């Protein structure tokens, strides 16, 4: 077996679209847990963004800060991740940045599609279910999606509520894989997997390994039409 | 920035479903080019398989050998790759193996779906176009697929023929990304990319970085229903 | 009214993909019940195949025996039927045989699509539901399918269990037609029809009359691309 | 091998929705060519219907006559066929008749779906292409349909024009099977098949063998909801 | 702000496909409630049509009378409405009339698609659910449709029964908008909206304002192919 | 015939998402041409927005100004229109405003779906074709869309270029209706209609009459889930 060539470390910047620094720390922790040893991962909060992204106005309001980060850091990183499971402003970043940009929603749902017959996405609010359904359709993954479900909230903890919704998705909707529908759930995947008995996919982890891979393959966003800046 | 923990090397076994050792060497070369330094990649030909996989009988005939490899090596590797772009016998391997198993067709088309508006797949034979169309539909990626095209063969080289078909896919079908539809094309991606001006995705490379990522995330095939052995 | 010309009898070979001779006898009995008087129907078990087909490995393992039968008997029969409702190895047989080849899954679901608004398929195991869903999609019949359901098993008999699942499909899923999802259920159709009150389609019967018809029309598999041997 | 039981002859009534008796004779001729020796086939023109069905008003105007035939003959036949490739008033007949009723459009397109990767339908007028596309979608067969094409009319004969359109469908649209899109083309199928090299499906022939089969299987239209008269 | 030019009043004829004059009056009342002051709306019953449209035979039987009305009144009106939520014989009218023709089913479902994530249609009979599902698919609006539901009939009034079915569609099927699936429900929309808390769309009202708009924009049915009379 | 009640004038505010006042005047002119006499229509440019919207960044940058307008004018108008054919920031406005909000893309494509078999959209730039395709899919209108085409630009005028692209859509793609894919084309519809011979739909006109209708019917955006502000 031949020895691998030494390559310089891959530098990944994760953009947390909201301004909650504790969320940023949580995301970074998850990211580093699964990153390759030769990868440098950083995560930044988005200045002047809302503290939590839950509707269309929030998505808009975190946009300018995200664009500033993308432009400023474009030269210093090899790849970018949008760490909100609704993949907010992902298209804008792809347009203004020359490096690969992936959303944690997209990364997790594409991975889930390869792990079983169909996946279900668990949302933390009922309000966000239609938005996630739109995203699934937009990615062309509707046929692989058993359901998008919100936590019901009878449980005394977020972990319990997500596990219960996941259990119902498996039992009632035919899901074979669970996708965590919010960056804030990152880190719960292994415990839910233990409780429910099917693979549980966290978008932060998936996006990190996916962009590492894209960088290693020398692949980036096509600039031929859709994402051509002008 | 904290230091990453040292992890033991990920061991990946690539199964070349045919019995052509020169193809096996080509695949391994491509695989190692993009694998992480801390990954050990091996590739084996399938004994008693046809020398080339081009029809349904070939797919069936390489099955027993692939199953033998999967069973025998299951304990020694962390992940498996089926290195034929038709993803032959992928479902069987997922059923008998407890580790993640990915096909190069699936890996490349899911990656392509994240790099631009729509992708086209270039096949080396016209005969295989319907089979690849079936595969695209089965993965639920039809809406992201601009076309499946065969090389026309006016060119004096395989490289030229693939580049020409890719050029037409971009110009006439609206493709923004090209997927190489055969493991035997592995290694041509950068030159075609240079000629055509859009990202060109090689399945071997994609599959390697994808399974590395799945292993790092601790994800594997759901065994709850579809891929439960009995 | 003119008299019909006398034609030589149509010879149909039903391949039971498993090695269970009692199943073979059951299939033959069903087949003959509905065959035209001028049709000769035979049914063979597949040597060295598993005793029951329930997963991907089983499908693979019955392949070589089915190919042997197809090749050996190709000259002696006018049409072939694959008598497993998952239509295992149907594509291979179409490729190697010049006569029409039909699967009982395909035959029954296409017939059901013409008998009512939507049909449901009743499986004997929960494990096989995803595989049957894949098959429905592959045949493009998803829009005509109300559901694929497994028997629940509270009933004291297979007949009772299938009838109960069929009743639920009609009442809860909007099915207007029931398809028996396993060759082993052949013969139960009329009793279930009596209990549930909607047409119940048995694949063996459907496939027999369908291939008789194809032979009479002089139609066979297109060999222009997908099923061209080389 | 056991002897088949003797069954009384199956009686099929083909309703030609228009009032053109020469078309009625042509249809009957095609039907008898492929009918089983033990089947009695009759064909009637529809009184007070237009001489040719080519638009929505024509479809409406042949309705009352078709209903009269269905009601009057319901007791004397085992199955009915609507012999216009647009399957005009098929739903009404299913509603008022207790026996199986099949349209030649439906029968031919379902059969074609089982003979190759995708089929194309050849229409005699450009005007009828959208209507046929609607029908394909309504039957859920869109994914199996390569194209609906009208004859171009440069040829000096109808046969030549259909063959030319069929040839284009195979060469340009990827069709592997051709469906004749009008009852008036019945009888041309073998000559076009000879010229184009792929199976050519005539709806009259297909419908006859299909309803023979349904009768033999004891299957008829579900009356549980959609086709319940009141 | 400039003054609008005075235009002659738009004249709309609503065709009630059945022969129930009390229904005709109800429809006219609803229509006038939402019509523009400068619009003249009339409504006619269809002579010799059934008193209520609930199956395919009824649809056929109201056809000749509708055609007579369309032809006779074509010169005197600027637009036509078919006031049955199944849009019976809409295609025929489009073919024979040069003015815009809209069905209340189509108008209400397109409007509903613009008011929320997904809509549900409430039918007065279970029997008509499959027909409405066919219509939704035909209009290409399946993805925007949460469900087609029939009233259950536990309620002591039609209003109560529709409201209850609507409530379930919102709670269980994820509907955000309700469409009244029958012209006979016209006028109940505001009370149901009050009870259920989501927009409730009445087809008569929608169709009136839609055709007013089409007339004002100078738009009418394309006569280039599908609706060309000959 | 009863007299209509006098209603206060409907007040519509059209938001031109860009900052080009000449475009704003053009839009207002088109809007008033088709508005009802009893409607008051105003149109505003968006302060600090780009002069033209052609990519994702532009969409984001016109967002804050649009939100300001929506909030400030919410009390003074009965309905809002987003006058960019990509329907930029339509979801945000629906969320923050209690009145009906419609985009000219959505309005024109839904109207076109009711005027013929399939419509084509003509874009002024090739770059915007994928974005418009995404929009068509998002509205669930893909099956009704023959093609999205960009002007080719051989013509010496915009009018000529659009007419040529429209002609090709009709001749090559089977379009029966043309949709103008940019607010800047508003006013050309009648001349293109004259040249091409099929209905040509302008989004500004369609949106005006559509929101007039929604107001008259008392319908507005559902606030039950997707568009609920918090």
């Amino acid at each position: 077996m031949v020895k691998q060539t030494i390559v310089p470390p891959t530098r990944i910047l994760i953009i947390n679209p909201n301004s909650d620094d504790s969320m940023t720390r949580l995301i970074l922790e998850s990211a580093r847990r699964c990153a390759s040893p030769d990868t440098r991962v950083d995560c930044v909060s988005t200045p002047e963004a809302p503290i939590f992204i839950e509707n269309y106005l929030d998505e808009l309001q975190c946009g300018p800060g995200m664009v500033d980060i993308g432009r400023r850091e474009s030269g210093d990183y090899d790849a970018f991740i949008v760490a909100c499971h609704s993949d907010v402003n992902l298209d804008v970043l792809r347009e203004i940045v020359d490096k690969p940009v992936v959303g944690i929603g997209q990364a997790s749902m594409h991975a889930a599609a390869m792990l079983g017959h169909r996946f279900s996405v668990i949302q933390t609010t009922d309000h966000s279910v239609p938005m996630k359904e739109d995203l699934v359709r937009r990615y062309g993954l509707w046929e692989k999606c058993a359901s998008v479900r919100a936590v019901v909230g009878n449980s005394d903890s977020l972990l319990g509520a997500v596990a219960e919704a996941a259990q119902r998705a498996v039992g009632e909707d035919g899901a074979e894989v669970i996708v965590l529908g919010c960056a804030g759930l990152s880190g719960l995947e292994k415990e839910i997997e233990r409780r429910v008995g099917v693979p549980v996919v966290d978008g932060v982890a998936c996006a990190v390994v996916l962009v590492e891979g894209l960088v290693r393959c020398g692949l980036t966003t096509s600039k031929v039409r859709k994402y051509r800046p002008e």
Side-chain angles (χ1 to χ4, degrees), chain A residues 120-141:
Chain A
S120 283
V121 188
I122 310 301
Q123 299 294 117
T124 51
T125 66
D126 181 62
H127 171 262
S128 61
V129 170
M131 291 152 163
K132 192 55 56 73
E133 288 178 345
D134 284 349
L135 203 66
V136 175
R137 281 202 190 276
R138 210 171 116 201
Y139 293 154
L141 295 173

PDB file of all heavy atoms in Angstrom, chain A residues 120-141:
ATOM      1  N   SER A 120     -37.319  10.799   7.559  1.00  0.00           N
ATOM      2  CA  SER A 120     -38.214  11.842   8.075  1.00  0.00           C
ATOM      3  C   SER A 120     -37.381  12.928   8.708  1.00  0.00           C
ATOM      4  O   SER A 120     -36.332  12.652   9.283  1.00  0.00           O
ATOM      5  CB  SER A 120     -39.176  11.271   9.126  1.00  0.00           C
ATOM      6  OG  SER A 120     -40.209  10.539   8.509  1.00  0.00           O
ATOM      7  N   VAL A 121     -37.858  14.156   8.595  1.00  0.00           N
ATOM      8  CA  VAL A 121     -37.176  15.293   9.210  1.00  0.00           C
ATOM      9  C   VAL A 121     -37.990  15.714  10.432  1.00  0.00           C
ATOM     10  O   VAL A 121     -39.214  15.843  10.353  1.00  0.00           O
ATOM     11  CB  VAL A 121     -37.071  16.485   8.232  1.00  0.00           C
ATOM     12  CG1 VAL A 121     -36.183  17.583   8.810  1.00  0.00           C
ATOM     13  CG2 VAL A 121     -36.544  16.017   6.876  1.00  0.00           C
ATOM     14  N   ILE A 122     -37.308  15.923  11.546  1.00  0.00           N
ATOM     15  CA  ILE A 122     -37.993  16.364  12.774  1.00  0.00           C
ATOM     16  C   ILE A 122     -37.717  17.843  13.001  1.00  0.00           C
ATOM     17  O   ILE A 122     -36.568  18.254  13.159  1.00  0.00           O
ATOM     18  CB  ILE A 122     -37.519  15.544  14.005  1.00  0.00           C
ATOM     19  CG1 ILE A 122     -37.588  14.038  13.728  1.00  0.00           C
ATOM     20  CG2 ILE A 122     -38.335  15.931  15.239  1.00  0.00           C
ATOM     21  CD1 ILE A 122     -38.952  13.503  13.367  1.00  0.00           C
ATOM     22  N   GLN A 123     -38.779  18.628  13.006  1.00  0.00           N
ATOM     23  CA  GLN A 123     -38.673  20.080  13.232  1.00  0.00           C
ATOM     24  C   GLN A 123     -38.990  20.412  14.686  1.00  0.00           C
ATOM     25  O   GLN A 123     -39.785  19.706  15.314  1.00  0.00           O
ATOM     26  CB  GLN A 123     -39.685  20.808  12.347  1.00  0.00           C
ATOM     27  CG  GLN A 123     -39.497  20.602  10.859  1.00  0.00           C
ATOM     28  CD  GLN A 123     -38.201  21.202  10.368  1.00  0.00           C
ATOM     29  OE1 GLN A 123     -37.329  20.486   9.893  1.00  0.00           O
ATOM     30  NE2 GLN A 123     -38.036  22.506  10.511  1.00  0.00           N
ATOM     31  N   THR A 124     -38.426  21.487  15.181  1.00  0.00           N
ATOM     32  CA  THR A 124     -38.731  21.871  16.566  1.00  0.00           C
ATOM     33  C   THR A 124     -40.028  22.680  16.682  1.00  0.00           C
ATOM     34  O   THR A 124     -40.576  22.801  17.761  1.00  0.00           O
ATOM     35  CB  THR A 124     -37.574  22.694  17.189  1.00  0.00           C
ATOM     36  OG1 THR A 124     -37.265  23.760  16.291  1.00  0.00           O
ATOM     37  CG2 THR A 124     -36.340  21.825  17.356  1.00  0.00           C
ATOM     38  N   THR A 125     -40.509  23.227  15.551  1.00  0.00           N
ATOM     39  CA  THR A 125     -41.790  23.948  15.608  1.00  0.00           C
ATOM     40  C   THR A 125     -42.690  23.502  14.456  1.00  0.00           C
ATOM     41  O   THR A 125     -42.212  23.218  13.364  1.00  0.00           O
ATOM     42  CB  THR A 125     -41.614  25.477  15.478  1.00  0.00           C
ATOM     43  OG1 THR A 125     -41.111  25.756  14.155  1.00  0.00           O
ATOM     44  CG2 THR A 125     -40.654  26.028  16.502  1.00  0.00           C
ATOM     45  N   ASP A 126     -43.972  23.464  14.716  1.00  0.00           N
ATOM     46  CA  ASP A 126     -44.967  23.117  13.708  1.00  0.00           C
ATOM     47  C   ASP A 126     -44.944  24.147  12.575  1.00  0.00           C
ATOM     48  O   ASP A 126     -45.127  23.811  11.399  1.00  0.00           O
ATOM     49  CB  ASP A 126     -46.351  23.111  14.365  1.00  0.00           C
ATOM     50  CG  ASP A 126     -47.431  22.734  13.387  1.00  0.00           C
ATOM     51  OD1 ASP A 126     -47.374  21.601  12.881  1.00  0.00           O
ATOM     52  OD2 ASP A 126     -48.321  23.559  13.134  1.00  0.00           O
ATOM     53  N   HIS A 127     -44.702  25.376  12.927  1.00  0.00           N
ATOM     54  CA  HIS A 127     -44.677  26.497  11.994  1.00  0.00           C
ATOM     55  C   HIS A 127     -43.680  26.291  10.854  1.00  0.00           C
ATOM     56  O   HIS A 127     -43.867  26.770   9.732  1.00  0.00           O
ATOM     57  CB  HIS A 127     -44.324  27.746  12.815  1.00  0.00           C
ATOM     58  CG  HIS A 127     -44.046  28.972  12.036  1.00  0.00           C
ATOM     59  ND1 HIS A 127     -42.771  29.376  11.741  1.00  0.00           N
ATOM     60  CD2 HIS A 127     -44.859  29.874  11.496  1.00  0.00           C
ATOM     61  CE1 HIS A 127     -42.831  30.499  11.050  1.00  0.00           C
ATOM     62  NE2 HIS A 127     -44.080  30.819  10.893  1.00  0.00           N
ATOM     63  N   SER A 128     -42.598  25.594  11.142  1.00  0.00           N
ATOM     64  CA  SER A 128     -41.536  25.455  10.142  1.00  0.00           C
ATOM     65  C   SER A 128     -41.720  24.238   9.246  1.00  0.00           C
ATOM     66  O   SER A 128     -40.934  24.018   8.321  1.00  0.00           O
ATOM     67  CB  SER A 128     -40.183  25.373  10.846  1.00  0.00           C
ATOM     68  OG  SER A 128     -40.150  24.239  11.692  1.00  0.00           O
ATOM     69  N   VAL A 129     -42.741  23.419   9.496  1.00  0.00           N
ATOM     70  CA  VAL A 129     -42.951  22.213   8.681  1.00  0.00           C
ATOM     71  C   VAL A 129     -43.161  22.540   7.199  1.00  0.00           C
ATOM     72  O   VAL A 129     -42.504  21.952   6.338  1.00  0.00           O
ATOM     73  CB  VAL A 129     -44.098  21.350   9.263  1.00  0.00           C
ATOM     74  CG1 VAL A 129     -44.495  20.241   8.296  1.00  0.00           C
ATOM     75  CG2 VAL A 129     -43.688  20.762  10.611  1.00  0.00           C
ATOM     76  N   PRO A 130     -44.056  23.488   6.857  1.00  0.00           N
ATOM     77  CA  PRO A 130     -44.229  23.774   5.424  1.00  0.00           C
ATOM     78  C   PRO A 130     -42.954  24.264   4.750  1.00  0.00           C
ATOM     79  O   PRO A 130     -42.677  23.919   3.604  1.00  0.00           O
ATOM     80  CB  PRO A 130     -45.301  24.884   5.403  1.00  0.00           C
ATOM     81  CG  PRO A 130     -45.961  24.850   6.722  1.00  0.00           C
ATOM     82  CD  PRO A 130     -45.002  24.264   7.702  1.00  0.00           C
ATOM     83  N   MET A 131     -42.184  25.080   5.449  1.00  0.00           N
ATOM     84  CA  MET A 131     -40.929  25.566   4.858  1.00  0.00           C
ATOM     85  C   MET A 131     -39.981  24.401   4.559  1.00  0.00           C
ATOM     86  O   MET A 131     -39.330  24.374   3.528  1.00  0.00           O
ATOM     87  CB  MET A 131     -40.243  26.533   5.824  1.00  0.00           C
ATOM     88  CG  MET A 131     -40.982  27.841   5.978  1.00  0.00           C
ATOM     89  SD  MET A 131     -40.650  28.526   7.628  1.00  0.00           S
ATOM     90  CE  MET A 131     -41.173  30.236   7.385  1.00  0.00           C
ATOM     91  N   LYS A 132     -39.889  23.466   5.482  1.00  0.00           N
ATOM     92  CA  LYS A 132     -38.996  22.317   5.259  1.00  0.00           C
ATOM     93  C   LYS A 132     -39.528  21.441   4.122  1.00  0.00           C
ATOM     94  O   LYS A 132     -38.756  20.926   3.306  1.00  0.00           O
ATOM     95  CB  LYS A 132     -38.838  21.517   6.557  1.00  0.00           C
ATOM     96  CG  LYS A 132     -37.733  20.493   6.562  1.00  0.00           C
ATOM     97  CD  LYS A 132     -36.342  21.022   6.204  1.00  0.00           C
ATOM     98  CE  LYS A 132     -35.815  22.164   7.024  1.00  0.00           C
ATOM     99  NZ  LYS A 132     -35.406  21.840   8.373  1.00  0.00           N
ATOM    100  N   GLU A 133     -40.843  21.289   4.049  1.00  0.00           N
ATOM    101  CA  GLU A 133     -41.420  20.532   2.936  1.00  0.00           C
ATOM    102  C   GLU A 133     -41.054  21.190   1.600  1.00  0.00           C
ATOM    103  O   GLU A 133     -40.730  20.506   0.622  1.00  0.00           O
ATOM    104  CB  GLU A 133     -42.940  20.432   3.085  1.00  0.00           C
ATOM    105  CG  GLU A 133     -43.357  19.482   4.202  1.00  0.00           C
ATOM    106  CD  GLU A 133     -44.866  19.407   4.394  1.00  0.00           C
ATOM    107  OE1 GLU A 133     -45.591  20.290   3.879  1.00  0.00           O
ATOM    108  OE2 GLU A 133     -45.317  18.484   5.074  1.00  0.00           O
ATOM    109  N   ASP A 134     -41.107  22.508   1.556  1.00  0.00           N
ATOM    110  CA  ASP A 134     -40.693  23.216   0.336  1.00  0.00           C
ATOM    111  C   ASP A 134     -39.241  22.911  -0.012  1.00  0.00           C
ATOM    112  O   ASP A 134     -38.883  22.729  -1.179  1.00  0.00           O
ATOM    113  CB  ASP A 134     -40.837  24.745   0.531  1.00  0.00           C
ATOM    114  CG  ASP A 134     -42.280  25.213   0.443  1.00  0.00           C
ATOM    115  OD1 ASP A 134     -43.149  24.422   0.034  1.00  0.00           O
ATOM    116  OD2 ASP A 134     -42.540  26.377   0.784  1.00  0.00           O
ATOM    117  N   LEU A 135     -38.396  22.864   1.014  1.00  0.00           N
ATOM    118  CA  LEU A 135     -36.970  22.619   0.784  1.00  0.00           C
ATOM    119  C   LEU A 135     -36.744  21.203   0.245  1.00  0.00           C
ATOM    120  O   LEU A 135     -35.961  21.001  -0.694  1.00  0.00           O
ATOM    121  CB  LEU A 135     -36.203  22.815   2.101  1.00  0.00           C
ATOM    122  CG  LEU A 135     -34.720  23.141   1.979  1.00  0.00           C
ATOM    123  CD1 LEU A 135     -34.528  24.510   1.333  1.00  0.00           C
ATOM    124  CD2 LEU A 135     -34.034  23.112   3.335  1.00  0.00           C
ATOM    125  N   VAL A 136     -37.431  20.241   0.818  1.00  0.00           N
ATOM    126  CA  VAL A 136     -37.308  18.851   0.349  1.00  0.00           C
ATOM    127  C   VAL A 136     -37.684  18.771  -1.130  1.00  0.00           C
ATOM    128  O   VAL A 136     -36.971  18.180  -1.940  1.00  0.00           O
ATOM    129  CB  VAL A 136     -38.207  17.911   1.188  1.00  0.00           C
ATOM    130  CG1 VAL A 136     -38.159  16.494   0.621  1.00  0.00           C
ATOM    131  CG2 VAL A 136     -37.782  17.905   2.647  1.00  0.00           C
ATOM    132  N   ARG A 137     -38.790  19.385  -1.485  1.00  0.00           N
ATOM    133  CA  ARG A 137     -39.210  19.392  -2.885  1.00  0.00           C
ATOM    134  C   ARG A 137     -38.172  20.072  -3.772  1.00  0.00           C
ATOM    135  O   ARG A 137     -37.881  19.625  -4.867  1.00  0.00           O
ATOM    136  CB  ARG A 137     -40.542  20.127  -3.053  1.00  0.00           C
ATOM    137  CG  ARG A 137     -41.728  19.299  -2.665  1.00  0.00           C
ATOM    138  CD  ARG A 137     -42.985  19.843  -3.354  1.00  0.00           C
ATOM    139  NE  ARG A 137     -44.162  19.215  -2.830  1.00  0.00           N
ATOM    140  CZ  ARG A 137     -44.622  18.034  -3.250  1.00  0.00           C
ATOM    141  NH1 ARG A 137     -44.000  17.383  -4.208  1.00  0.00           N
ATOM    142  NH2 ARG A 137     -45.701  17.514  -2.717  1.00  0.00           N
ATOM    143  N   ARG A 138     -37.647  21.205  -3.301  1.00  0.00           N
ATOM    144  CA  ARG A 138     -36.694  21.962  -4.097  1.00  0.00           C
ATOM    145  C   ARG A 138     -35.444  21.145  -4.400  1.00  0.00           C
ATOM    146  O   ARG A 138     -34.838  21.283  -5.457  1.00  0.00           O
ATOM    147  CB  ARG A 138     -36.305  23.223  -3.313  1.00  0.00           C
ATOM    148  CG  ARG A 138     -35.955  24.399  -4.165  1.00  0.00           C
ATOM    149  CD  ARG A 138     -35.825  25.610  -3.290  1.00  0.00           C
ATOM    150  NE  ARG A 138     -34.481  26.119  -3.292  1.00  0.00           N
ATOM    151  CZ  ARG A 138     -33.974  26.892  -2.365  1.00  0.00           C
ATOM    152  NH1 ARG A 138     -34.725  27.242  -1.324  1.00  0.00           N
ATOM    153  NH2 ARG A 138     -32.749  27.322  -2.463  1.00  0.00           N
ATOM    154  N   TYR A 139     -35.053  20.299  -3.454  1.00  0.00           N
ATOM    155  CA  TYR A 139     -33.887  19.461  -3.670  1.00  0.00           C
ATOM    156  C   TYR A 139     -34.243  18.196  -4.446  1.00  0.00           C
ATOM    157  O   TYR A 139     -33.372  17.363  -4.698  1.00  0.00           O
ATOM    158  CB  TYR A 139     -33.244  19.094  -2.325  1.00  0.00           C
ATOM    159  CG  TYR A 139     -32.646  20.281  -1.605  1.00  0.00           C
ATOM    160  CD1 TYR A 139     -32.506  20.291  -0.228  1.00  0.00           C
ATOM    161  CD2 TYR A 139     -32.227  21.411  -2.315  1.00  0.00           C
ATOM    162  CE1 TYR A 139     -31.951  21.382   0.432  1.00  0.00           C
ATOM    163  CE2 TYR A 139     -31.687  22.508  -1.657  1.00  0.00           C
ATOM    164  CZ  TYR A 139     -31.551  22.495  -0.289  1.00  0.00           C
ATOM    165  OH  TYR A 139     -31.013  23.575   0.358  1.00  0.00           O
ATOM    166  N   GLY A 140     -35.511  18.050  -4.826  1.00  0.00           N
ATOM    167  CA  GLY A 140     -35.907  16.872  -5.604  1.00  0.00           C
ATOM    168  C   GLY A 140     -35.939  15.598  -4.790  1.00  0.00           C
ATOM    169  O   GLY A 140     -35.906  14.500  -5.333  1.00  0.00           O
ATOM    170  N   LEU A 141     -35.998  15.709  -3.455  1.00  0.00           N
ATOM    171  CA  LEU A 141     -35.907  14.522  -2.602  1.00  0.00           C
ATOM    172  C   LEU A 141     -37.244  14.088  -2.025  1.00  0.00           C
ATOM    173  O   LEU A 141     -37.296  13.288  -1.087  1.00  0.00           O
ATOM    174  CB  LEU A 141     -34.890  14.781  -1.468  1.00  0.00           C
ATOM    175  CG  LEU A 141     -33.444  14.966  -1.930  1.00  0.00           C
ATOM    176  CD1 LEU A 141     -32.556  15.381  -0.761  1.00  0.00           C
ATOM    177  CD2 LEU A 141     -32.903  13.675  -2.544  1.00  0.00           C
TER     178      LEU A 141
END
